[in-house]
Amino acid sequence: MTLYGYFRSSTSYRTRIAMNLKGLDYNDITINLAQDEQLESAFKAINPQGLVPVLQADDLLLYQSPAILEWLEEVYPEHALLPKDAAGRMQVRALSAMIGCDIHPINNRRILQYLRNELSVNEEDVIAWCNRWISEGFAALETRLAADNNRGQFCYGNSPTLADCYLIPQVSSARRFKVDLSAYPNIVAIDTHCRTLEAFADADPMMQPDAPKSL
């Protein structure tokens, strides 16, 4: 398999985590978002949306990280990232969607570039925008996590799930945008624990071949 992605792309990051947790080998092809390579015709021939990640598995091209992660779960069920019961699967998918649908999309690079370049929003206000929506989303997520008395060291249960694949990249993004995480002790504890696991550590943006030596 080949993963087209970018070191700091949260959606690429969550896909790397899931593939690592399942013990899957894959090749990396960098699509440099900072240089707008995702808009070039060569990549748009692969994904007309011009978005990463794209996963190529033999002749099959998969796009949109939620669909990729669900495909991985169906095709490679070992080291399951969804619970066996329907209620548990719903819970994990709901936690994932809180991040993947309601936090990440309004803070991703396309939105921020539009704010900066088209609406002439200054950088201080761009950071304030990110802080507002990440903090609001994290407050709701923290409440959900705190209410789950059966939860271990992960978002759900005692083993990593898709929800953790979504959460850890979003925490990285929150730190990059200077969000105060002190109000979210459960989120911080999950992030701290997950980063001790090889699958998460190896997926970290700064461990990727296209990561700069310093930021």
Side-chain angles (χ1 to χ4, degrees), residues 138-214:
F138 272 11
L141 182 61
E142 178 72 17
T143 300
R144 289 283 188 188
L145 295 170
D148 184 356
N149 295 324
N150 296 317
R151 186 178 61 80
Q153 293 181 292
F154 300 95
C155 287
Y156 181 89
N158 295 296
S159 60
T161 67
L162 292 181
D164 302 290
C165 298
Y166 279 80
L167 177 62
I168 304 314
Q170 191 60 61
V171 174
S172 288
S173 181
R175 290 194 173 103
R176 184 155 54 93
F177 292 122
K178 304 175 184 178
V179 175
D180 181 2
L181 297 176
S182 62
Y184 318 116
N186 287 286
I187 289 174
V188 170
I190 293 167
D191 178 71
T192 300
H193 176 66
C194 285
R195 290 180 188 279
T196 67
L197 305 180
E198 185 177 1
F200 288 87
D202 288 349
D204 186 270
M206 296 311 296
M207 295 298 293
Q208 306 316 301
D210 57 322
K213 292 183 179 179
S214 62

Side-chain angles (χ1 to χ4, degrees), residues 22-36:
K22 289 182 174 294
L24 300 174
D25 293 325
Y26 58 93
N27 300 312
D28 281 300
I29 292 183
T30 297
I31 304 299
N32 193 325
L33 304 188
Q35 297 180 8
D36 288 330

Side-chain angles (χ1 to χ4, degrees), residues 49-186:
Q49 275 193 295
L51 299 174
V52 295
V54 172
L55 182 64
Q56 183 169 7
D58 295 324
D59 295 330
L60 181 64
L61 285 174
L62 301 102
Y63 47 91
Q64 288 290 342
S65 63
I68 294 173
L69 268 57
E70 291 279 354
W71 180 86
L72 289 169
E73 186 70 0
E74 292 182 20
V75 176
Y76 300 98
E78 190 174 351
H79 304 293
L81 301 178
L82 285 170
K84 293 181 179 180
D85 62 297
R89 291 195 298 273
M90 180 283 299
Q91 179 76 354
V92 168
R93 287 180 171 126
L95 293 171
S96 301
M98 290 176 72
I99 299 164
C101 298
D102 297 326
I103 301 177
H104 170 260
I106 52 178
N107 292 285
N108 69 19
R109 185 176 183 275
R110 289 192 304 164
I111 299 299
L112 302 188
Q113 289 297 88
Y114 182 78
L115 291 175
R116 293 176 178 119
N117 300 333
E118 301 297 327
L119 299 184
S120 300
V121 176
N122 64 48
E123 195 62 24
E124 181 179 351
D125 288 338
V126 169
I127 297 297
W129 168 279
C130 295
N131 267 264
R132 161 66 188 275
W133 299 116
I134 295 173
S135 297
E136 183 176 294
F138 272 11
L141 182 61
E142 178 72 17
T143 300
R144 289 283 188 188
L145 295 170
D148 184 356
N149 295 324
N150 296 317
R151 186 178 61 80
Q153 293 181 292
F154 300 95
C155 287
Y156 181 89
N158 295 296
S159 60
T161 67
L162 292 181
D164 302 290
C165 298
Y166 279 80
L167 177 62
I168 304 314
Q170 191 60 61
V171 174
S172 288
S173 181
R175 290 194 173 103
R176 184 155 54 93
F177 292 122
K178 304 175 184 178
V179 175
D180 181 2
L181 297 176
S182 62
Y184 318 116
N186 287 286

